[in-house]
mmCIF file of all heavy atoms in Angstrom:
data_model
loop_
_atom_site.group_PDB
_atom_site.id
_atom_site.type_symbol
_atom_site.label_atom_id
_atom_site.label_comp_id
_atom_site.label_asym_id
_atom_site.label_seq_id
_atom_site.Cartn_x
_atom_site.Cartn_y
_atom_site.Cartn_z
ATOM 1 N N LYS A 322 40.848 -149.322 -28.950
ATOM 2 C CA LYS A 322 41.715 -150.423 -28.781
ATOM 3 C C LYS A 322 42.631 -150.652 -30.038
ATOM 4 O O LYS A 322 43.019 -151.763 -30.300
ATOM 5 C CB LYS A 322 41.033 -151.757 -28.473
ATOM 6 C CG LYS A 322 39.963 -151.570 -27.305
ATOM 7 C CD LYS A 322 40.653 -151.121 -26.054
ATOM 8 C CE LYS A 322 39.632 -151.014 -24.895
ATOM 9 N NZ LYS A 322 40.231 -150.445 -23.709
ATOM 10 N N ILE A 323 42.962 -149.570 -30.664
ATOM 11 C CA ILE A 323 43.847 -149.686 -31.813
ATOM 12 C C ILE A 323 45.156 -148.934 -31.430
ATOM 13 O O ILE A 323 45.131 -147.606 -31.150
ATOM 14 C CB ILE A 323 43.319 -148.905 -33.109
ATOM 15 C CG1 ILE A 323 42.007 -149.683 -33.523
ATOM 16 C CG2 ILE A 323 44.267 -148.981 -34.273
ATOM 17 C CD1 ILE A 323 41.200 -149.063 -34.620
ATOM 18 N N PRO A 324 46.226 -149.571 -31.305
ATOM 19 C CA PRO A 324 47.553 -148.957 -30.866
ATOM 20 C C PRO A 324 48.041 -147.947 -31.942
ATOM 21 O O PRO A 324 47.800 -148.134 -33.128
ATOM 22 C CB PRO A 324 48.605 -150.130 -30.856
ATOM 23 C CG PRO A 324 47.705 -151.365 -30.771
ATOM 24 C CD PRO A 324 46.446 -151.092 -31.568
ATOM 25 N N ALA A 325 48.579 -146.816 -31.486
ATOM 26 C CA ALA A 325 49.020 -145.862 -32.373
ATOM 27 C C ALA A 325 50.036 -144.892 -31.624
ATOM 28 O O ALA A 325 50.178 -144.919 -30.470
ATOM 29 C CB ALA A 325 47.917 -144.901 -32.806
ATOM 30 N N ARG A 326 50.925 -144.322 -32.463
ATOM 31 C CA ARG A 326 51.945 -143.479 -31.893
ATOM 32 C C ARG A 326 51.996 -142.130 -32.589
ATOM 33 O O ARG A 326 51.621 -142.062 -33.751
ATOM 34 C CB ARG A 326 53.336 -144.086 -31.898
ATOM 35 C CG ARG A 326 53.851 -144.357 -33.403
ATOM 36 C CD ARG A 326 55.134 -145.286 -33.395
ATOM 37 N NE ARG A 326 55.698 -145.457 -34.656
ATOM 38 C CZ ARG A 326 56.798 -146.145 -34.924
ATOM 39 N NH1 ARG A 326 57.359 -146.836 -33.868
ATOM 40 N NH2 ARG A 326 57.199 -146.376 -36.160
ATOM 41 N N TYR A 327 52.446 -141.096 -31.854
ATOM 42 C CA TYR A 327 52.570 -139.719 -32.406
ATOM 43 C C TYR A 327 53.900 -139.659 -33.207
ATOM 44 O O TYR A 327 54.901 -140.162 -32.885
ATOM 45 C CB TYR A 327 52.694 -138.815 -31.169
ATOM 46 C CG TYR A 327 52.593 -137.337 -31.516
ATOM 47 C CD1 TYR A 327 51.421 -136.636 -31.443
ATOM 48 C CD2 TYR A 327 53.888 -136.580 -31.745
ATOM 49 C CE1 TYR A 327 51.459 -135.285 -31.682
ATOM 50 C CE2 TYR A 327 53.741 -135.302 -32.028
ATOM 51 C CZ TYR A 327 52.565 -134.583 -32.021
ATOM 52 O OH TYR A 327 52.512 -133.243 -32.316
ATOM 53 N N VAL A 328 53.861 -138.905 -34.297
ATOM 54 C CA VAL A 328 54.980 -138.758 -35.137
ATOM 55 C C VAL A 328 55.148 -137.208 -35.423
ATOM 56 O O VAL A 328 54.342 -136.517 -35.702
ATOM 57 C CB VAL A 328 54.818 -139.412 -36.561
ATOM 58 C CG1 VAL A 328 56.110 -139.349 -37.360
ATOM 59 C CG2 VAL A 328 54.410 -140.906 -36.306
ATOM 60 N N VAL A 329 56.514 -136.902 -35.305
ATOM 61 C CA VAL A 329 56.982 -135.526 -35.806
ATOM 62 C C VAL A 329 57.931 -135.713 -37.021
ATOM 63 O O VAL A 329 58.804 -136.591 -37.047
ATOM 64 C CB VAL A 329 57.715 -134.796 -34.724
ATOM 65 C CG1 VAL A 329 58.496 -133.607 -35.246
ATOM 66 C CG2 VAL A 329 56.647 -134.289 -33.678
ATOM 67 N N GLY A 330 57.724 -134.894 -37.998
ATOM 68 C CA GLY A 330 58.596 -135.003 -39.244
ATOM 69 C C GLY A 330 58.400 -133.909 -40.053
ATOM 70 O O GLY A 330 57.971 -132.718 -39.775
ATOM 71 N N LEU A 331 58.782 -134.103 -41.411
ATOM 72 C CA LEU A 331 58.731 -133.026 -42.411
ATOM 73 C C LEU A 331 57.911 -133.486 -43.611
ATOM 74 O O LEU A 331 57.825 -134.638 -43.878
ATOM 75 C CB LEU A 331 60.178 -132.513 -42.878
ATOM 76 C CG LEU A 331 61.186 -132.071 -41.923
ATOM 77 C CD1 LEU A 331 62.478 -131.842 -42.584
ATOM 78 C CD2 LEU A 331 60.575 -130.820 -41.289
ATOM 79 N N ILE A 332 57.291 -132.464 -44.228
ATOM 80 C CA ILE A 332 56.577 -132.653 -45.464
ATOM 81 C C ILE A 332 57.082 -131.589 -46.443
ATOM 82 O O ILE A 332 57.716 -130.633 -45.917
ATOM 83 C CB ILE A 332 55.016 -132.680 -45.395
ATOM 84 C CG1 ILE A 332 54.557 -131.346 -44.717
ATOM 85 C CG2 ILE A 332 54.552 -133.803 -44.608
ATOM 86 C CD1 ILE A 332 53.083 -131.166 -44.705
ATOM 87 N N PRO A 333 57.011 -131.808 -47.579
ATOM 88 C CA PRO A 333 57.558 -130.776 -48.677
ATOM 89 C C PRO A 333 57.116 -129.351 -48.406
ATOM 90 O O PRO A 333 55.949 -128.997 -47.982
ATOM 91 C CB PRO A 333 57.094 -131.254 -50.031
ATOM 92 C CG PRO A 333 56.817 -132.702 -49.823
ATOM 93 C CD PRO A 333 56.355 -132.806 -48.440
ATOM 94 N N GLY A 334 58.037 -128.386 -48.554
ATOM 95 C CA GLY A 334 57.796 -127.030 -48.360
ATOM 96 C C GLY A 334 58.720 -126.291 -47.341
ATOM 97 O O GLY A 334 59.785 -126.899 -46.981
ATOM 98 N N GLU A 335 58.341 -125.252 -46.836
ATOM 99 C CA GLU A 335 59.038 -124.424 -45.971
ATOM 100 C C GLU A 335 58.267 -123.854 -44.787
ATOM 101 O O GLU A 335 57.183 -123.357 -45.065
ATOM 102 C CB GLU A 335 59.891 -123.309 -46.693
ATOM 103 C CG GLU A 335 60.816 -122.507 -45.890
ATOM 104 C CD GLU A 335 61.541 -121.428 -46.727
ATOM 105 O OE1 GLU A 335 62.445 -121.809 -47.439
ATOM 106 O OE2 GLU A 335 61.228 -120.269 -46.665
ATOM 107 N N GLY A 336 58.792 -123.980 -43.641
ATOM 108 C CA GLY A 336 58.053 -123.482 -42.467
ATOM 109 C C GLY A 336 58.349 -124.202 -41.200
ATOM 110 O O GLY A 336 59.514 -123.919 -40.583
ATOM 111 N N GLU A 337 57.546 -125.029 -40.602
ATOM 112 C CA GLU A 337 57.747 -125.720 -39.359
ATOM 113 C C GLU A 337 57.659 -127.229 -39.605
ATOM 114 O O GLU A 337 57.393 -127.728 -40.756
ATOM 115 C CB GLU A 337 56.700 -125.333 -38.332
ATOM 116 C CG GLU A 337 56.744 -123.766 -38.100
ATOM 117 C CD GLU A 337 55.668 -123.420 -37.058
ATOM 118 O OE1 GLU A 337 54.736 -124.153 -36.793
ATOM 119 O OE2 GLU A 337 55.883 -122.220 -36.515
ATOM 120 N N THR A 338 57.804 -127.947 -38.557
ATOM 121 C CA THR A 338 57.579 -129.380 -38.594
ATOM 122 C C THR A 338 56.121 -129.768 -38.643
ATOM 123 O O THR A 338 55.320 -128.885 -38.417
ATOM 124 C CB THR A 338 58.307 -130.033 -37.409
ATOM 125 O OG1 THR A 338 57.737 -129.511 -36.227
ATOM 126 C CG2 THR A 338 59.804 -129.879 -37.351
ATOM 127 N N HIS A 339 55.847 -131.043 -39.010
ATOM 128 C CA HIS A 339 54.513 -131.464 -39.105
ATOM 129 C C HIS A 339 54.315 -132.717 -38.211
ATOM 130 O O HIS A 339 55.303 -133.261 -37.747
ATOM 131 C CB HIS A 339 54.184 -131.902 -40.565
ATOM 132 C CG HIS A 339 52.868 -132.138 -40.846
ATOM 133 N ND1 HIS A 339 51.758 -131.361 -40.554
ATOM 134 C CD2 HIS A 339 52.164 -133.257 -41.383
ATOM 135 C CE1 HIS A 339 50.609 -131.859 -40.909
ATOM 136 N NE2 HIS A 339 50.821 -133.080 -41.390
ATOM 137 N N ALA A 340 53.134 -132.956 -37.855
ATOM 138 C CA ALA A 340 52.845 -134.003 -36.937
ATOM 139 C C ALA A 340 51.664 -134.856 -37.515
ATOM 140 O O ALA A 340 50.700 -134.380 -38.140
ATOM 141 C CB ALA A 340 52.339 -133.512 -35.542
ATOM 142 N N TRP A 341 51.807 -136.166 -37.361
ATOM 143 C CA TRP A 341 50.826 -137.130 -37.809
ATOM 144 C C TRP A 341 50.760 -138.265 -36.925
ATOM 145 O O TRP A 341 51.428 -138.328 -35.864
ATOM 146 C CB TRP A 341 51.029 -137.465 -39.277
ATOM 147 C CG TRP A 341 52.176 -138.170 -39.626
ATOM 148 C CD1 TRP A 341 52.506 -139.481 -39.671
ATOM 149 C CD2 TRP A 341 53.503 -137.565 -40.070
ATOM 150 N NE1 TRP A 341 53.680 -139.745 -40.178
ATOM 151 C CE2 TRP A 341 54.450 -138.580 -40.413
ATOM 152 C CE3 TRP A 341 53.875 -136.259 -40.255
ATOM 153 C CZ2 TRP A 341 55.764 -138.397 -40.891
ATOM 154 C CZ3 TRP A 341 55.185 -136.012 -40.612
ATOM 155 C CH2 TRP A 341 56.136 -137.107 -40.932
ATOM 156 N N VAL A 342 50.148 -139.427 -37.302
ATOM 157 C CA VAL A 342 49.962 -140.582 -36.451
ATOM 158 C C VAL A 342 50.314 -141.915 -37.224
ATOM 159 O O VAL A 342 50.184 -141.947 -38.487
ATOM 160 C CB VAL A 342 48.530 -140.772 -35.990
ATOM 161 C CG1 VAL A 342 48.220 -142.068 -35.302
ATOM 162 C CG2 VAL A 342 48.180 -139.628 -35.050
ATOM 163 N N GLU A 343 50.942 -142.800 -36.563
ATOM 164 C CA GLU A 343 51.142 -144.113 -37.146
ATOM 165 C C GLU A 343 50.446 -145.162 -36.388
ATOM 166 O O GLU A 343 50.578 -145.283 -35.011
ATOM 167 C CB GLU A 343 52.646 -144.552 -37.143
ATOM 168 C CG GLU A 343 53.442 -143.732 -38.302
ATOM 169 C CD GLU A 343 54.868 -144.057 -38.270
ATOM 170 O OE1 GLU A 343 55.465 -144.710 -37.348
ATOM 171 O OE2 GLU A 343 55.472 -143.759 -39.390
#
Side-chain angles (χ1 to χ4, degrees):
K322 310 304 180 186
I323 299 172
R326 64 188 182 184
Y327 188 95
V328 184
V329 164
L331 297 181
I332 56 176
E335 182 174 286
E337 301 178 346
T338 56
H339 188 50
W341 62 92
V342 168
E343 287 184 340

